Amino acid sequence: MESWQRELKERVTNLDELERFLHLEDEERAWFDSEEERRLPFALTRHYLSLMGDDPASPLRRQAIPRKEEFRFLSYESADPLCEQEYSPLPRLIHRYEDRALFLASDRCALYCRHCFRRHFTGGAGQGDREVKNRKDRRSLFEAAQDAACYLEKRPEIRELLLSGGDPLMLPDGTLFRLIDLFRKHRPDLILRIGTRMPAVLPSRITPVLAREFGRRAPLFVVCQFNHPDEISPPAVEALARLADSGIPILNQSVLLRGVNDDRETLKALSGVLLAARVIPYYLFQGDLAAGTSHLRAPILKGVSIMRSLRQCMSGLATPVYAVDLPGGGGKVSIPLDPVLRVEEREALLPGPDNRLWPYPVED
Ligand SMILES: *Cc1c(COP(=O)(O)O)cnc(C)c1O
Ligand code: SF4
């Protein structure tokens, strides 16, 4: 067993263990005491715990420790806010855009982010038959991958494949490389993107072997998720250096999170440390309307005002695109910063790629 796999085994996954490390607030303990079944599981790596500190308001703790607010469902929220199931022609495959597709390589994560928008799938919380079946049948991952690879073979207009989840790096090396090679066999020209939160939550997963093997499979991009500068710890910087030294381009996608990074100074510092670690800030996402995440969602108008002010003081390289996945399945659009966003009856109206106006709620 590799050391990262041992660290996975040593994760904190229940209330008793957690209380050995942290003094919990009532709102946090209430989540564990609840009998609600269809919720995102809890798992916390020792690494992330060591960065978190004991303050309940700490930006890292808010991302990792569940609270009872996760049981608050707003009328405009949903379990699958991007309607990914509608865009899923095959099990585990999401094909929403003409030139790129996404394959759900694993439904597990080292740490379950409390803001996860794919919580209908992540952590085995999914209902849909396909996941139940896939969990029962270990071989089904490769069956699904085989079908997806044939789908890609017939559609040369798809140039990029995103491996996502869950976290694809939860798969052991052998499985992961076999998966990549299967897609490459059917489509040697495919540009690969691996979406992972491991550099932030379990940097030891980025082993020298992983970095080297990824480097051999170019063009392959790694897209990570750092939401706060404190997540870019010395082990994270070393993990990113292993990837960069292997020639792998690294991008970052952050989520704008209430009480975590919804202020100008934090986002500015985040971009600074990312660039220093050779990571390009790619997207800053407005929170998706996933059920039970309203306490972590920053208001869209706050995001607009922060981004407007950041634009003045950051380089283009340091400035991510502020974007949102349109609720209801309209796709990703960048959020217009000027002229002023049109707002009607507590709804911000965002022009979609189809030029229709899509509503996004204005929250306080
Ligand atoms: C986000 C996403 C992509 C990638 O979009 P980019 O704007 O190229 O980063 C591809 N497929 C799906 C389904 C997505 O959600
Ligand atoms: S790593 Fe990604 S898929 Fe996993 S819980 Fe976090 S946001 Fe969700």
Side-chain angles (χ1 to χ4, degrees), residues 191-195 214 217-223 248-251:
I191 293 163
L192 285 165
R193 242 199 258 183
I194 315 262
F214 275 3
R217 287 166 170 83
L220 181 153
F221 293 68
V222 167
V223 180
I248 298 157
I250 317 168
L251 306 168

Side-chain angles (χ1 to χ4, degrees), residues 4 103-109 162-172 175-176 179 193-198 205 214:
W4 66 271
F103 184 76
L104 298 166
S106 163
D107 67 353
R108 305 291 142 151
C109 301
L162 287 72
L163 295 186
S164 182
D167 198 317
L169 298 194
M170 288 296 277
L171 299 174
T175 309
L176 184 62
L179 194 66
R193 242 199 258 183
I194 315 262
T196 178
R197 186 128 155 89
M198 290 296 189
R205 174 66 186 101
F214 275 3

Side-chain angles (χ1 to χ4, degrees), residues 130-148:
R130 63 172 211 233
E131 270 327 294
V132 174
K133 175 173 157 280
N134 284 348
R135 275 207 310 282
K136 282 187 188 147
D137 184 352
R138 290 170 140 259
R139 277 193 332 175
S140 69
L141 170 63
F142 278 95
E143 286 169 11
Q146 181 68 46
D147 292 347

Side-chain angles (χ1 to χ4, degrees), residues 35-335:
E35 312 225 306
E36 173 76 44
E37 275 176 15
R38 282 187 39 222
R39 59 180 162 180
L40 186 71
F42 166 72
L44 170 64
T45 58
R46 297 292 184 97
H47 170 76
Y48 204 82
L49 181 63
S50 76
L51 302 177
M52 214 162 68
D54 198 37
D55 178 0
S58 118
L60 274 55
R61 180 154 164 176
R62 284 178 62 76
Q63 294 179 68
I65 307 297
R67 304 176 65 85
K68 74 165 196 290
E69 287 93 318
E70 286 187 34
F71 302 126
R72 187 171 69 204
F73 301 151
L74 305 186
S75 60
Y76 48 78
E77 290 181 334
S78 102
D80 178 15
L82 314 185
C83 299
E84 290 191 322
Q85 272 157 10
E86 275 177 39
Y87 293 88
S88 179
L90 290 169
R92 290 178 180 263
L93 189 70
I94 304 171
H95 184 199
R96 187 197 297 278
Y97 307 104
E98 189 180 306
D99 64 339
R100 52 212 193 275
L102 183 152
F103 184 76
L104 298 166
S106 163
D107 67 353
R108 305 291 142 151
C109 301
L111 176 153
Y112 292 102
C113 312
R114 305 326 301 176
H115 53 272
C116 181
F117 77 86
R118 204 173 274 138
R119 56 218 290 135
H120 67 97
F121 173 80
T122 312
Q127 51 299 53
D129 288 333
R130 63 172 211 233
E131 270 327 294
V132 174
K133 175 173 157 280
N134 284 348
R135 275 207 310 282
K136 282 187 188 147
D137 184 352
R138 290 170 140 259
R139 277 193 332 175
S140 69
L141 170 63
F142 278 95
E143 286 169 11
Q146 181 68 46
D147 292 347
C150 293
Y151 182 92
L152 297 176
E153 198 169 349
K154 284 189 221 120
R155 290 170 181 77
E157 69 275 15
I158 300 176
R159 305 296 322 279
E160 278 180 48
L161 180 68
L162 287 72
L163 295 186
S164 182
D167 198 317
L169 298 194
M170 288 296 277
L171 299 174
D173 283 359
T175 309
L176 184 62
F177 303 145
R178 234 179 95 203
L179 194 66
I180 292 173
D181 295 344
L182 171 68
F183 284 116
R184 268 283 161 65
K185 193 178 107 208
H186 287 260
R187 281 290 305 276
D189 60 327
L190 208 54
I191 293 163
L192 285 165
R193 242 199 258 183
I194 315 262
T196 178
R197 186 128 155 89
M198 290 296 189
V201 299
L202 189 68
S204 61
R205 174 66 186 101
I206 313 298
T207 59
V209 171
L210 184 86
R212 192 188 66 219
E213 292 299 318
F214 275 3
R216 282 188 183 156
R217 287 166 170 83
L220 181 153
F221 293 68
V222 167
V223 180
C224 43
Q225 183 196 150
F226 289 100
N227 297 317
H228 190 278
D230 290 356
E231 294 175 337
I232 308 181
S233 59
V237 171
E238 286 162 25
L240 295 166
R242 286 192 284 277
L243 292 172
D245 289 345
S246 304
I248 298 157
I250 317 168
L251 306 168
N252 186 68
Q253 298 183 340
S254 302
V255 186
L256 184 66
L257 294 169
R258 184 188 293 252
V260 173
N261 60 11
D262 58 341
D263 65 276
R264 181 189 139 104
E265 293 317 311
T266 303
L267 288 177
K268 190 171 176 201
L270 177 61
S271 278
V273 284
L274 284 170
L275 287 180
R278 292 179 275 174
V279 181
I280 299 176
Y282 177 36
Y283 276 128
L284 172 68
F285 284 117
Q286 172 60 23
D288 291 315
L289 301 174
T293 60
S294 57
H295 58 300
L296 287 169
R297 218 160 39 237
I300 189 169
L301 296 185
K302 187 166 189 190
V304 168
S305 105
I306 295 171
M307 285 306 294
R308 284 170 67 96
S309 79
L310 277 178
R311 236 184 0 187
Q312 315 298 322
C313 69
M314 289 202 319
S315 74
L317 196 57
T319 311
V321 174
Y322 181 38
V324 66
D325 249 297
L326 295 168
K332 271 192 200 73
V333 290
S334 70
I335 299 176

